[in-house]
Amino acid sequence: MGPGQNCTVRAEWVAAASIAAGAAVLGYLAYKAILCKDKASKAMVNPNIQKDNPKVVHAFDMEDLGDKAVYCRCWRSKQFPLCDGSHTKHNEETGDNVGPLIIKRKEA
């Protein structure tokens, strides 16, 4: 093997390694974009309610609830924190299954 052939073999290996690395990167990016479900779990839940507060918190006295209270858990209600049924549209659009939190007094 002469000096010219050694350079040719080396260039072929560099080209093959570059193509393999590029294919690996493209495969990884395709996996993350298409198959990996981690992207959905990092999505923001609250789209627009009290975004100026570091944490949205509501507190109610049990005595003030009456016989029944229905609270939003999808963050889409126009009457938040009370449920207005917006979860129905949210579930249809996203395939989610979220529903309201219902608090009621026990029947005696």
Side-chain angles (χ1 to χ4, degrees), residues 1-3 5-6 9:
M1 198 185 265
Q5 288 178 328
N6 195 17
V9 171

Side-chain angles (χ1 to χ4, degrees), residues 8-98:
T8 304
V9 171
R10 185 176 304 169
E12 289 173 356
W13 275 104
V14 169
S18 298
I19 290 171
V25 168
L26 287 176
Y28 174 76
L29 293 175
Y31 167 77
K32 290 297 279 184
I34 297 169
L35 299 176
C36 189
K37 301 298 181 191
D38 289 343
K39 190 168 91 175
S41 67
K42 294 179 183 176
M44 191 174 297
V45 175
N46 176 4
N48 57 8
I49 297 169
Q50 296 183 14
K51 297 305 279 185
D52 54 329
N53 289 339
K55 187 187 295 186
V56 179
V57 177
H58 293 93
F60 299 92
D61 290 329
M62 293 299 290
E63 296 80 22
D64 296 338
L65 293 180
D67 291 333
K68 180 179 174 181
V70 183
Y71 294 100
C72 175
R73 292 193 305 166
C74 72
W75 292 85
R76 302 315 188 259
S77 176
K78 301 287 188 249
Q79 301 174 2
F80 192 87
L82 301 176
C83 176
D84 68 358
S86 295
H87 59 273
T88 303
K89 181 180 176 189
H90 166 75
N91 289 345
E92 290 171 358
E93 291 174 350
T94 64
D96 204 350
N97 66 346
V98 69

